[in-house]
Amino acid sequence: MNVSVKFCGIEFPNPTVLASGYLGVTGASLASCAKAGAGGATSKTLFMEERPGHPNPSVLQFPGGLINAVGLCGEGIKNARHEFEKYKELAPENPLVGSVGGKTVDEFIECAEIMASYPVDMLELNFSCPNVEGEMGRPIACDPQMTAKATKAIRKVTKKPISVKLSPNVPDIALIAKEAEENGADAITAVNTMGPGMLIDPYARRPILANKVGGVSGYALKPIALKAVYDIYNAVKIPIIATGGIVTGRDALEMLMAGGTLLGIGSSLMYNDMQAFEIILDKIREFMKEEGFEDISELVGLAHET
Ligand SMILES: Cc1cc2nc3c(=O)[nH]c(=O)nc-3n(C[C@H](O)[C@H](O)[C@H](O)COP(=O)(O)O)c2cc1C
């Protein structure tokens, strides 16, 4: 049976892709996912400037998943070329997605231009981090017009495929996805973390995260992400990197049937470490064998046919 995926013209040996941010930006750590079975990897979001991020504690576990306010810390994009080169040296068969950030549309454009000159196969535009405010005071992906404007402008600076990463924190995510598609996006990544949310330590009598609030991922996000992917699949023709709460193989099957072509995997690594990719793939293969599917593409969007 075939589990390889052609996505925006790029060959992925299987649909699992490390989601942005979970393992940072070093080429070696991203490549370790490929060695552990991931089809590809997404870098941490990079901005023009070096960013210290939010102070610790910045990532917490709770029964529903994770809550984080890392604050998009990282070296500035100009310092990161060697990490992308390292990845390509270590994992040449596994496509690399470069995640781009910006506090303004102009910064996004500048950053995307630099990222496109690096050895990445495609770009992901992080329009949706809930902890970082854009020029409008909220993430670009929370506004259809801003999404349209930013996608259109960035489209002009690269021919590499672009995936626009959307936020679940909107009333109509399909509308935003359509704006991205109409303005030149080649794909949609859905979704980023939800919220922000909060956890409180009753003994300390205050929120636990130093930033007080953070984005929620993992188990709690899955039904929200699944519905987002389902709605987007109905609204656009471009393919989807389905992301959010894919912990088990069953979650992955649901996401494929909702309409995801690739599967972004983040918080699952918290529960399953680097085995996350193989656990998910084994289940997909087992299901395909039991149910008589030959090619993984047969699963994509299947839940829409009933
Ligand atoms: C610690 C942490 C850091 C993250 N950093 C980024 C980031 O830099 N850029 C981004 O687009 N998403 C970032 N995300 C969001 C993930 O890429 C993903 O969209 C989200 O966690 C939902 O997937 P999951 O439930 O599989 O983790 C981060 C998530 C976590 C938990």
Side-chain angles (χ1 to χ4, degrees), residues 19-22 43-45 59 66 68 70 72 99 124 126 128 165 191-193 216-219 221 243-246 264-268:
S20 176
Y22 201 83
S43 76
K44 175 141 194 79
T45 303
V59 185
L66 296 181
N68 93 82
V70 179
L72 296 174
S99 174
E124 185 171 270
N126 181 3
S128 48
K165 188 163 181 182
V191 290
N192 210 314
T193 52
V216 176
S217 60
Y219 296 119
L221 179 57
T243 309
I246 304 177
I265 314 287
S267 300
S268 184

Side-chain angles (χ1 to χ4, degrees), residues 45-129:
T45 303
L46 288 167
F47 286 68
M48 286 308 294
E49 303 302 327
E50 190 174 338
R51 294 170 58 93
H54 296 309
N56 287 324
S58 59
V59 185
L60 305 172
Q61 210 176 341
F62 73 107
L66 296 181
I67 179 164
N68 93 82
V70 179
L72 296 174
C73 54
E75 59 194 321
I77 190 160
K78 285 187 182 155
N79 301 320
R81 172 184 275 277
H82 64 287
E83 301 296 358
F84 295 91
E85 289 169 350
K86 187 81 195 166
Y87 178 90
K88 281 290 165 188
E89 191 188 310
L90 295 171
E93 306 298 324
N94 302 84
L96 178 58
V97 183
S99 174
V100 173
K103 292 182 296 305
T104 62
V105 174
D106 285 344
E107 184 182 349
F108 259 109
I109 295 169
E110 207 181 342
C111 220
E113 223 170 342
I114 297 172
M115 185 65 90
S117 74
Y118 289 175
V120 296
D121 299 277
M122 73 186 284
L123 271 59
E124 185 171 270
L125 309 179
N126 181 3
F127 286 172
S128 48
C129 179

Side-chain angles (χ1 to χ4, degrees), residues 258-270:
T261 296
L262 290 178
L263 303 164
I265 314 287
S267 300
S268 184
L269 275 78
M270 173 64 98

Side-chain angles (χ1 to χ4, degrees), residues 3-230:
V3 294
S4 70
V5 173
K6 195 163 188 177
F7 191 86
C8 298
I10 306 160
E11 297 282 353
F12 287 76
N14 71 66
T16 65
V17 178
L18 174 73
S20 176
Y22 201 83
L23 281 186
V25 76
T26 70
S29 60
L30 297 179
S32 64
C33 294
K35 295 281 167 265
T42 313
S43 76
K44 175 141 194 79
T45 303
L46 288 167
F47 286 68
M48 286 308 294
E49 303 302 327
E50 190 174 338
R51 294 170 58 93
H54 296 309
N56 287 324
S58 59
V59 185
L60 305 172
Q61 210 176 341
F62 73 107
L66 296 181
I67 179 164
N68 93 82
V70 179
L72 296 174
C73 54
E75 59 194 321
I77 190 160
K78 285 187 182 155
N79 301 320
R81 172 184 275 277
H82 64 287
E83 301 296 358
F84 295 91
E85 289 169 350
K86 187 81 195 166
Y87 178 90
K88 281 290 165 188
E89 191 188 310
L90 295 171
E93 306 298 324
N94 302 84
L96 178 58
V97 183
S99 174
V100 173
K103 292 182 296 305
T104 62
V105 174
D106 285 344
E107 184 182 349
F108 259 109
I109 295 169
E110 207 181 342
C111 220
E113 223 170 342
I114 297 172
M115 185 65 90
S117 74
Y118 289 175
V120 296
D121 299 277
M122 73 186 284
L123 271 59
E124 185 171 270
L125 309 179
N126 181 3
F127 286 172
S128 48
C129 179
N131 308 309
V132 179
E133 294 183 343
E135 60 193 358
M136 307 178 16
R138 60 189 176 136
I140 289 175
C142 290
D143 182 272
Q145 279 79 40
M146 281 299 290
T147 301
K149 178 181 159 191
T151 307
K152 194 174 191 173
I154 297 164
R155 173 73 285 168
K156 289 191 184 125
V157 302
T158 178
K159 290 199 164 50
K160 285 192 178 173
I162 290 175
S163 187
V164 169
K165 188 163 181 182
L166 298 186
S167 168
N169 311 315
V170 291
D172 185 355
I173 196 168
L175 175 76
I176 315 265
K178 265 177 99 67
E179 290 294 344
E181 179 184 48
E182 281 165 16
N183 287 282
D186 302 286
I188 299 291
T189 304
V191 290
N192 210 314
T193 52
M194 110 184 129
M198 181 183 275
L199 295 172
I200 288 177
D201 179 347
Y203 294 96
R205 294 158 174 69
R206 61 175 187 231
I208 309 175
L209 288 171
N211 187 52
K212 296 197 173 89
V213 300
V216 176
S217 60
Y219 296 119
L221 179 57
K222 190 195 104 182
I224 311 290
L226 193 63
K227 162 121 185 352
V229 170
Y230 189 93

Side-chain angles (χ1 to χ4, degrees), residues 282-301:
D282 284 351
K283 178 68 192 175
I284 292 175
R285 286 197 192 96
E286 183 192 304
F287 179 85
M288 286 175 66
K289 193 169 169 209
E290 278 173 11
E291 299 288 319
F293 291 98
E294 288 295 322
D295 194 295
I296 192 150
S297 64
E298 294 164 39
L299 299 177
V300 176

